């Protein structure tokens, strides 16, 4: 069975400061990991994905995430937050052989202040 | 590329009526589409997996007779909420996986449909 834990339900940062959204996963097999962003009343947009290639994954809008197997983590970072980054972020895991069945974390709401 | 649309974006209906939501992959073929439900301030919960030309696979606790899914073509899946009740009010989101083989292909999500049952 696979699961995802997003450690913070809400994160607030000032514009221009770094962003760290934490995610830990549990998976019986080699997982694929994703970060999706959801703006209010919108669908989900893929930020980045890890599929057993390079452990440091670069995504869109300056975001990146590092897959750490020893820590079972896949934290999302960005060096400098922008007001437009304010949204809900979901960490997602998919196990090999599950026909792409995704398991979502509970989400982290990122607030960016001036 | 990889755009998924949903129609309608918002629907209000009376209790007891049925509502159909369409999910289309606009620029790729999708052998598999997924239907999710999201309650306010909560995460997405998978309802069912829809494969083109075959019956949908429903997650535990999802009533297949209430949430009818049809995936008649490689670019269209529909979700019909039959005899809708206020507790069915939610945000319904579909996703589509490209028909390029493998089990780890990315899912692309539609913009969602907000259903309000009065």
């Amino acid at each position: 069975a696979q699961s995802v834990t997003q450690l913070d339900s809400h994160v607030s940062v000032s514009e221009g400061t770094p962003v760290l959204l934490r995610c830990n996963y549990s998976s019986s097999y080699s997982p694929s990991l994703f970060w999706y962003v959801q703006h209010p009343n919108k669908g989900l947009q893929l930020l980045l994905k890890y599929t057993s290639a390079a452990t440091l994954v670069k995504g869109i809008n300056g975001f990146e995430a590092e897959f750490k197997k020893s820590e079972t983590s896949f934290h999302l970072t960005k060096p400098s937050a922008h007001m437009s980054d304010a949204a809900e972020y979901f960490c997602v895991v998919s196990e090999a052989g599950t026909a792409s069945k995704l398991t979502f974390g509970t989400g982290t709401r990122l607030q960016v202040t001036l | 590329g990889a755009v998924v649309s949903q129609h309608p974006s918002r629907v209000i209906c009376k209790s007891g009526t049925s509502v159909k939501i369409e999910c289309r992959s606009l620029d790729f073929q999708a052998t598999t589409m997924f239907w999710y439900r999201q309650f306010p301030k909560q995460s997405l919960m998978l309802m069912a997996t829809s494969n083109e030309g075959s019956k949908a696979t429903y997650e535990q606790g999802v009533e297949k007779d209430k949430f009818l899914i049809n995936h008649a073509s490689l670019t269209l899946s529909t979700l019909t909420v039959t005899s809708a009740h206020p507790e069915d009010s939610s945000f319904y989101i579909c996703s589509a996986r490209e028909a390029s083989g493998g089990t780890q292909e990315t899912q692309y999500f539609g913009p969602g449909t907000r259903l309000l049952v009065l």
Side-chain angles (χ1 to χ4, degrees), chain A residues 89-109:
Chain A
Y89 291 79
F90 292 98
C91 183
V92 182
V93 65
S94 173
E95 279 187 5
T98 60
S100 297
K101 181 176 178 178
L102 302 183
T103 299
F104 283 75
T106 50
T108 297
R109 179 162 296 278

Side-chain angles (χ1 to χ4, degrees), chain A residues 67-109:
Chain A
F67 173 73
K68 292 186 176 180
K69 187 175 181 179
S70 60
E71 299 177 9
T72 60
S73 70
F74 191 59
H75 302 331
L76 181 71
T77 60
K78 182 174 181 177
S80 177
H82 192 273
M83 294 296 290
S84 61
D85 294 328
E88 188 85 17
Y89 291 79
F90 292 98
C91 183
V92 182
V93 65
S94 173
E95 279 187 5
T98 60
S100 297
K101 181 176 178 178
L102 302 183
T103 299
F104 283 75
T106 50
T108 297
R109 179 162 296 278

